[in-house]
Amino acid sequence: MEGMEDELPLKMLEEGGSSKRSHKQQEWQGKLPRIHKEVKRSPRRPDCPEHLAGGNIPLLPEQPDSEASVSVEDTAESCPKRWDRCRRGHFLHGPYPDTHFGPKACVLPNPTSVMHIQDPASQRLTWSKPPLNVLVIRKIRDETLLEPFKELCRFLVDEKHLMVYVEKKVVDDGSLMTDDSFSAIRNQLCTFREGYDDISDRIDLIICLGGDGTLLYASSLFQGSVPPVMAFHLGSLGFLAPFKFESFKTEVDKVFEGNAAIILRSRLKVKVVKGTFQRNEQPFSTQENGIAPHNHINNEAGKITLQLQVLNEVVVDRGPSSYLSNVDLYLDGRLITSVQGDGVIVSTPTGSTAYAGAAGASMIHPNVPAIMVTPICPHSLSFRPIVVPAGVELMITLSPDARNTAWVSFDGRKRQEILHGDSIKITTSCFPVPSICCHDLVYDWFDSLAQCLHWNVRKKQTRLTDASDSSETEN
């Protein structure tokens, strides 16, 4: 406690730039003889905004400092007024909890991971330079998207004078090849082939035409930093595509001007490690509370055969076998449980409305930092879906007594078999997908729930005709 009291005032003075120093602040910096006595703290409100900006606040990597910072010159007396202002504002994060508990207890400071949290409601898109290169992703094998695709390309090339990138198999479509009116635009398009050409450092903006699959495909093309994604609803479901194509010119102009609301959709960083994994043979049922000792695994490094960024989910299932899948689930190197059933889904909040939602998981807003673990048809009535913190590392392996192998897929792609000794390591990626909102990140999500999934839709209960009916019903 004493060491932390010595450091905090100096840090606050350096950050605030204040030239006025009190007698106590000079004493903390060693300019006056130290008086060893208990420091009497002024009363502080736990929910005061100075805790929102003045403490050690952990954050996901690569997010900017909060713009809604509080001046360190504000006194404790003005804190209630500032708190009233903040309470009337629009915040999606809850207040940062007070790190002091009673007169003598506090959270141990961790200076190695100190950043400020930016509230999601203030996440706005801005351009450091005007965007020049746009990637257009179109749903293939859908003839109804040919005209919207051509209109968008004409607008971007002729009116906006941008460089447009399109996948080669889209340009080679027979209907486009035979359209003479589009030939001038087609010759100006830059083409690429997935798996052969790397365009990750060339694209400034991604525009998707189709359904949710186009946004998943865009995520797979960028295994590092992802450009902003603008998705138009022209597919079957369109839960992740909030924009209507009828007004695409106006909407694209707004995005180019900047200041559009964005939602950072977290992704999963997944590694498939082949061989070398071993678990000490210790009966799982004998472990206290079903948790094995911390040193029960062999940490020898294996061969990483695949490393991916996943937007929706990682699915481990029993494949073509008729036996139950039997896989072990670890959290930060500790055995949590064994999954016996058709499989298990590890998903992001964005994926909570996809396969995980169909398997019984709760629907979670994409800005909630979490990882969901959802069993698929578990052979246990008590196996409920769980939500774990975003910073943990999950690992899935075949149980030693598993009768068959398992299969894994990543956003429905790159399906492969998992053998004994293989492991799948999953944690939250520091490269989210910045999805541009049509209205804002709260309205868009609930609008998609209502329009696409018909969330909580039922025939409304009719009201009673008069007061006497209620008493008669109760009797």
Side-chain angles (χ1 to χ4, degrees):
M1 283 291 294
E2 182 180 350
M4 189 177 69
E5 290 172 355
D6 293 345
E7 295 173 4
L8 281 179
L10 176 59
K11 180 180 178 181
M12 293 175 66
L13 283 173
E14 291 175 349
E15 293 178 352
S18 174
S19 60
K20 298 180 180 179
R21 300 182 178 180
S22 66
H23 177 87
K24 186 175 292 186
Q25 289 169 342
Q26 293 179 0
E27 176 189 328
W28 268 322
Q29 297 184 34
K31 302 210 173 195
L32 291 178
R34 180 182 297 274
I35 301 176
H36 293 280
K37 65 178 181 179
E38 185 175 355
V39 179
K40 185 176 181 181
R41 297 180 179 274
S42 59
R44 296 184 299 179
R45 296 186 59 164
D47 294 332
C48 174
E50 69 181 315
H51 301 298
L52 293 173
N56 290 342
I57 305 178
L59 180 70
L60 293 176
E62 302 199 3
Q63 285 188 345
D65 290 349
S66 172
E67 297 176 359
S69 59
V70 180
S71 172
V72 297
E73 296 179 357
D74 290 340
T75 62
E77 287 75 12
S78 65
C79 182
K81 295 181 180 179
R82 289 187 284 114
W83 171 244
D84 290 338
R85 289 201 307 269
C86 286
R87 193 163 49 180
R88 289 192 295 268
H90 179 52
F91 291 96
L92 293 184
H93 278 313
Y96 184 73
D98 188 14
T99 57
H100 293 82
F101 316 113
K104 296 183 179 179
C106 69
V107 173
L108 181 67
N110 182 13
T112 60
S113 58
V114 176
M115 292 185 72
H116 293 286
I117 295 178
Q118 178 169 343
D119 193 81
S122 65
Q123 291 172 176
R124 313 291 296 185
L125 175 66
T126 185
W127 303 99
S128 58
K129 295 180 180 179
L132 299 176
N133 302 319
V134 178
L135 170 62
V136 177
I137 297 178
R138 190 202 109 195
K139 181 181 179 182
I140 61 175
R141 297 190 296 273
D142 191 344
E143 297 296 325
T144 62
L145 296 185
L146 284 177
E147 287 304 319
F149 173 76
K150 290 189 286 187
E151 288 182 43
L152 177 63
C153 290
R154 287 194 185 97
F155 172 70
L156 296 176
V157 173
D158 289 343
E159 298 185 32
K160 307 300 291 185
H161 307 290
L162 300 173
M163 187 70 69
V164 177
Y165 286 76
V166 181
E167 194 172 6
K168 190 175 188 303
K169 60 183 177 183
V170 173
V171 178
D172 292 342
D173 185 279
S175 301
L176 290 178
M177 296 292 290
T178 57
D179 188 351
D180 295 334
S181 62
F182 189 69
S183 60
I185 301 296
R186 186 178 65 248
N187 294 334
Q188 299 181 58
L189 300 178
C190 298
T191 61
F192 71 96
R193 295 178 299 167
E194 181 189 7
Y196 294 93
D197 303 316
D198 183 14
I199 60 171
S200 58
D201 59 342
R202 307 179 192 174
I203 304 301
D204 302 319
L205 174 68
I206 304 173
I207 299 180
C208 297
L209 303 179
D212 297 343
T214 57
L215 195 141
L216 294 175
Y217 177 67
S219 171
S220 68
L221 294 176
F222 297 86
Q223 293 301 301
S225 178
V226 185
V229 181
M230 185 179 190
F232 287 93
H233 178 20
L234 291 170
S236 303
L237 187 62
F239 189 89
L240 305 179
F243 289 96
K244 307 298 182 184
F245 191 77
E246 289 75 13
S247 57
F248 78 94
K249 291 185 178 182
T250 303
E251 300 294 349
V252 171
D253 285 336
K254 289 181 181 178
V255 170
F256 283 175
E257 292 172 1
N259 201 33
I262 60 172
I263 182 168
L264 300 181
R265 299 184 179 275
S266 63
R267 296 195 290 178
L268 299 175
K269 182 174 71 172
V270 186
K271 296 179 183 178
V272 177
V273 183
K274 291 292 186 180
T276 73
F277 178 84
Q278 295 179 359
R279 190 183 83 175
N280 290 347
E281 294 298 332
Q282 189 167 4
F284 179 77
S285 59
T286 62
Q287 306 305 318
E288 183 180 0
N289 297 327
I291 298 179
H294 192 70
N295 58 352
H296 69 291
I297 63 173
N298 181 1
N299 290 322
E300 180 185 356
K303 179 182 179 182
I304 300 177
T305 59
L306 185 64
Q307 185 165 338
L308 288 173
Q309 306 281 331
V310 175
L311 179 57
N312 262 1
E313 74 273 306
V314 178
V315 178
V316 179
D317 59 69
R318 59 191 175 95
S321 174
S322 58
Y323 290 113
L324 291 174
S325 69
N326 191 354
V327 297
D328 291 339
L329 177 65
Y330 297 82
L331 191 148
D332 285 341
R334 189 178 293 269
L335 179 63
I336 298 301
T337 189
S338 292
V339 182
Q340 297 182 88
D342 281 353
V344 63
I345 304 169
V346 180
S347 62
T348 64
T350 296
S352 67
T353 52
Y355 193 178
S362 296
M363 294 182 291
I364 300 181
H365 190 276
N367 252 111
V368 177
I371 300 176
M372 276 151 293
V373 180
T374 307
I376 307 173
C377 298
H379 202 248
S380 169
L381 296 179
S382 61
F383 198 163
R384 304 297 300 163
I386 61 172
V387 179
V388 298
V392 304
E393 182 183 70
L394 296 172
M395 183 170 66
I396 301 175
T397 67
L398 277 178
S399 295
D401 52 353
R403 295 184 179 183
N404 57 292
T405 61
W407 289 75
V408 61
S409 61
F410 314 92
D411 281 344
R413 311 181 74 196
K414 299 187 182 294
R415 185 171 170 82
Q416 57 184 272
E417 190 174 13
I418 299 299
L419 307 175
H420 283 281
D422 299 346
S423 61
I424 306 166
K425 297 183 178 181
I426 306 169
T427 189
T428 301
S429 169
C430 60
F431 298 110
V433 174
S435 181
I436 301 175
C437 301
C438 182
H439 299 94
D440 61 68
L441 66 169
V442 175
Y443 178 87
D444 285 3
W445 191 68
F446 279 100
D447 184 59
S448 296
L449 287 181
Q451 299 297 326
C452 300
L453 300 183
H454 305 292
W455 177 61
N456 197 29
V457 174
R458 71 176 295 272
K459 186 177 180 180
K460 293 224 171 177
Q461 187 181 43
T462 58
R463 61 177 297 177
L464 297 176
T465 56
D466 53 51
S468 60
D469 292 344
S470 61
S471 59
E472 293 174 1
T473 304
E474 292 175 358
N475 295 331

